[in-house]
Amino acid sequence: MTHTSLSDPWRTVDDAALRRQLLDGALPDLMAHAEALCLSGHGRIVSYSRKVFIPLTQLCRDLCHYCTFSRVPGRGQKAYLTPDEVLAIARDGQRAGCTEALFTLGEKPELRHAVARDELARMGHDSTLSYLTAMCALVLKETGLLPHVNAGTMQADEMAALRHVSVSQGLMLETISDRLGEKGGPHYRSPDKVPVRRLETIRLAGELAVPFTSGILIGIGETREERIDALLALRDLHRQYGHIQEIIVQNFRAKPRTPMAGHPEPDIGELLWTIACARLILGPEMNIQAPPNLSSADYPRLLTAGINDWGGISPVTPDHVNPEAPWPAIERLRAATATQGRLLVPRLPVYPRYALDSTRWQEPALATLVRQGMDAEGFARDDDWCPGSTITPRVRPPVPGLAPDAGLAALLDRAIAGEILGEADITRLFAARDGEVEQVCNAADALRRMVNGDKVTYVVNRNINYTNICTYKCGFCAFSKGSTEDHLRGKPYDLDQGEVLRRVAEAAARGATEVCLQGGIHPHYTGDTYLTLARAIRTAAPDMHIHAFSALEVSQGAATLGLPVRDFLARLKAAGLSTLPGTAAEVLDDEVRDIICPDKLSTAEWLDVIGTAHELGLPTTATIMFGHVDQPVHWARHLIRIRDLQRRTGGFTEFVPLPFVHMEAPMALRGRTRKGPTFREVRLMHAVARLVLHPHIANIQLSWVKLGPAGAHIVLDGGVNDLGGTLMDESISRAAGTRHGQEMPPEAMEDLILSAGRTPRQRTTLYGPVDAAMQAQGRGAAPLSPLVLTPPRKSENKRPQAEQVRKESVCHAE
């Protein structure tokens, strides 16, 4: 077996050599190596779980000599918390923003205590584990908190039952030493503390794919060699199954009224040595934790020995296992973590690696809850905001005293200088948290000021979605209808030409310089449908800018006419098309597209259609629709592909991040997506886009429909210089559940811009000026006439189904 680290002495050694180096090495050297290894695996992030502690029963059949958790109930006291008591604790945690319900209990008390057997029988259970399973299910149903259970040694069937109602489980190995269970030892008369039994439970968790917590307890009489042996045993189990999500190094604390009340506690040096050993044995990726409340004021030093997690911290309940040692307040913990140059980040009871792969590690219903509770990196969402909601987003003040990251500062300098950033660089920008977010946003805004000044532009336009009937089944889309008979999420419609032209004329009368037209891929539409529509609008409104047809519509239209995409685009341009929206891009990475829109254009096909449009003198926008199943690495690849195409063609006018609105999206309703991006991720997407696309794309636009005025106000200060369109009608985001209205008239646009301390300027689609007469026409415009949603019409000119046409055409690109 080998061990890998960053420094030469630790690069590749066998276990015997590793043991010698750990036992003989100087503590400062061990800690330095361990801290470097930790930083290579986790960066500056130190996580914690915001939990509520539910001590289901404090009865136990074991008699550990250091334990005060285990106790026999007094006269009139119950042995178990009642369901009402369990729920009361859980609801306190829910109100305090907790995500974890930590169930801790003694091991199989019914095997020793008649009071436990009798009370379980009255509640209709034959074992403590049966009652625990029921209480986990109750907490899940009533509060949505994610249970983590420390239920002791178990059989496979018991663990499997708990896997259905808990996202993670745990069992401290404590020690691998059998002698500590002999008479006079701390585990004497504790049958569940036999090391081989505990190792077998941990092994079974691996077979069952249970994300698992384990660790060692130091200072109870074990030797340093025995600690190393225990850590090696845990490492070997993890290598076999990959299921141990964290290792806890817990220091013994002597407690009054226990047989070990006078036993010496390990000093800080012993704890630091053991943490460093754990990191050096288990490697850079393992999550290693040490409880901060058991180290008094010294706990920030533990970060220098290689930990990356503080464990569960409860704002509402004490540490029932160590009641004499209160947890630090979370804000105090955040500040203390910052003193070591590290960032405190909340996590779920299941760590990011296991959250991001929840299909493997969770039962389906629990996987849904994990996805809904996490951000794009698998950590816990840090607020209740989501795109389209009316919750006011909040920006948390940066923790004071945090030293800036020199690597991040250098990366920002490179971006501002116009250097080409790679995938790893961009992913690092998206990983910014706490004060780093402000650092990224401030750099992006300085760059915006340099490129665009203090002007914020907008266009008076009208969205016309001419049909909501679509043959595609994109998992994120709540707008489209599957067929003319499908009334899911409202009635299908297919606007006739008269209604489209009426809306165009009304838009012109209300000062619009642009109409934006997009629709579903209707099974009866052909390329002639789009050509006829463009000609009709150009004839009726010669001065109106026609911004229309996504890359998918272009591809399908070309395929139905048997034309190469280039030829069809040329015909559209001749018919009056001015520019194309850069929608249907979603995320330009086929790993994501295969999940959210498997039958849609591939990444290469989208880029080919848009690149061809640019070559023909048809500018387009560029978009990203993010915050569903994607991760920051996918966002980085998307930006690189947009940037590379722009460097070749110069045809993108702007970049528009579109946060995923989850409320009515089919995939979200089936529990397969996150709840859209967090507000931190929204801010970073706009800011990072400004930095990465500089100097190739000068305009970064936000979507006020998805962010709302309050969100837009904040995001404007992170590199954004454009508010998009007034819209007049907005159907797609509204269908998905956004509650921010359908129109923001020029007066409201300008009020929002002025409130942000910036200068408003109305623009054309291509960022030209708008004359004063046209601007005046848009002010105080008459209310819109009622919309007419023309019902679907039967067509004699049926074209082949869209997917079959696409497969046969392969875009006909030249």
Side-chain angles (χ1 to χ4, degrees), residues 139-194:
V139 166
L140 272 170
K141 178 183 177 182
E142 297 296 330
T143 69
L145 294 183
L146 301 173
H148 169 87
V149 297
N150 293 332
T153 55
M154 287 182 282
Q155 301 298 316
D157 60 337
E158 296 167 328
M159 189 173 290
L162 281 169
R163 190 182 190 275
H164 284 277
V165 293
S166 64
V167 297
S168 53
Q169 301 180 34
L171 176 71
M172 292 287 283
L173 174 59
E174 294 196 9
T175 182
I176 205 165
S177 172
D178 287 316
R179 65 182 181 81
L180 296 186
E182 297 171 358
K183 190 171 183 177
H187 290 157
Y188 179 58
R189 298 177 67 195
S190 299
D192 299 297
K193 294 301 175 76
V194 176

Side-chain angles (χ1 to χ4, degrees), residues 600-661:
K600 214 168 185 177
L601 296 179
S602 69
T603 295
E605 289 169 339
W606 188 93
L607 291 168
D608 184 74
V609 173
I610 296 298
T612 302
H614 294 175
E615 291 167 2
L616 291 170
L618 285 167
T620 76
T621 61
T623 66
I624 183 172
M625 194 273 294
F626 67 106
H628 30 80
V629 302
D630 45 346
Q631 296 172 35
V633 67
H634 303 124
W635 305 342
R637 293 169 187 166
H638 182 104
L639 289 175
I640 288 170
R641 286 165 178 147
I642 293 293
R643 181 190 65 200
D644 289 351
L645 181 57
Q646 180 72 346
R647 292 176 71 200
R648 180 170 69 83
T649 67
F652 288 123
T653 57
E654 68 218 39
F655 183 75
V656 191
L658 301 172
F660 170 59
V661 178

Side-chain angles (χ1 to χ4, degrees), residues 587 589-597 628-631 634:
V587 176
D589 190 285
D590 288 338
E591 187 174 281
V592 175
R593 300 178 80 80
D594 287 347
I595 298 172
I596 66 172
C597 53
H628 30 80
V629 302
D630 45 346
Q631 296 172 35
H634 303 124

Side-chain angles (χ1 to χ4, degrees), residues 83-100:
D84 286 345
E85 289 169 331
V86 168
L87 271 184
I89 295 171
R91 285 180 173 136
D92 283 346
Q94 183 185 28
R95 284 189 288 270
C98 296
T99 57
E100 174 183 349

Side-chain angles (χ1 to χ4, degrees), residues 50-70:
R50 196 176 180 99
K51 74 177 180 184
V52 62
F53 201 131
I54 303 177
L56 191 65
T57 179
Q58 293 185 245
L59 274 177
C60 184
R61 73 164 175 167
D62 296 326
L63 297 172
C64 301
H65 293 189
Y66 45 76
C67 181
T68 57
F69 177 76
S70 174

Side-chain angles (χ1 to χ4, degrees), residues 31 63 74 76 88 152 182 212 252 316 411 415 456 718:
M31 289 174 61
L63 297 172
E182 297 171 358
F212 210 75
F252 160 75
V316 293
L411 189 55
V456 177

Side-chain angles (χ1 to χ4, degrees), residues 212-342:
F212 210 75
T213 292
S214 192
I216 61 174
L217 179 62
I218 72 167
I220 57 173
E222 81 293 342
T223 65
R224 282 187 166 189
E225 290 85 348
E226 288 167 338
R227 293 180 206 164
I228 292 173
D229 287 340
L231 291 168
L232 289 171
L234 291 169
R235 180 204 64 186
D236 292 345
L237 283 172
H238 181 64
R239 281 180 173 175
Q240 185 174 1
Y241 297 105
H243 68 301
I244 298 179
Q245 62 170 358
E246 71 176 336
I247 294 294
I248 302 173
V249 178
Q250 183 168 330
N251 48 314
F252 160 75
R253 294 288 295 265
K255 297 175 176 60
R257 299 182 299 281
T258 66
M260 294 180 68
H263 188 80
E265 297 179 351
D267 62 23
I268 187 67
E270 280 299 301
L271 180 57
L272 292 170
W273 179 85
T274 310
I275 291 170
C277 289
R279 176 59 69 193
L280 293 166
I281 288 170
L282 292 156
E285 294 183 355
M286 178 57 71
N287 298 296
I288 296 179
Q289 174 199 133
N293 58 318
L294 300 186
S295 296
S296 189
D298 287 327
Y299 72 84
R301 289 186 63 193
L302 306 183
L303 293 167
T304 65
I307 70 166
N308 67 290
D309 188 81
W310 291 123
I313 307 293
S314 180
V316 293
T317 53
D319 180 350
H320 290 279
V321 176
N322 298 284
E324 79 287 354
W327 281 300
I330 289 171
E331 282 304 310
R332 180 183 160 205
L333 184 67
R334 182 180 175 224
T337 303
T339 64
Q340 300 298 320
R342 309 285 283 277

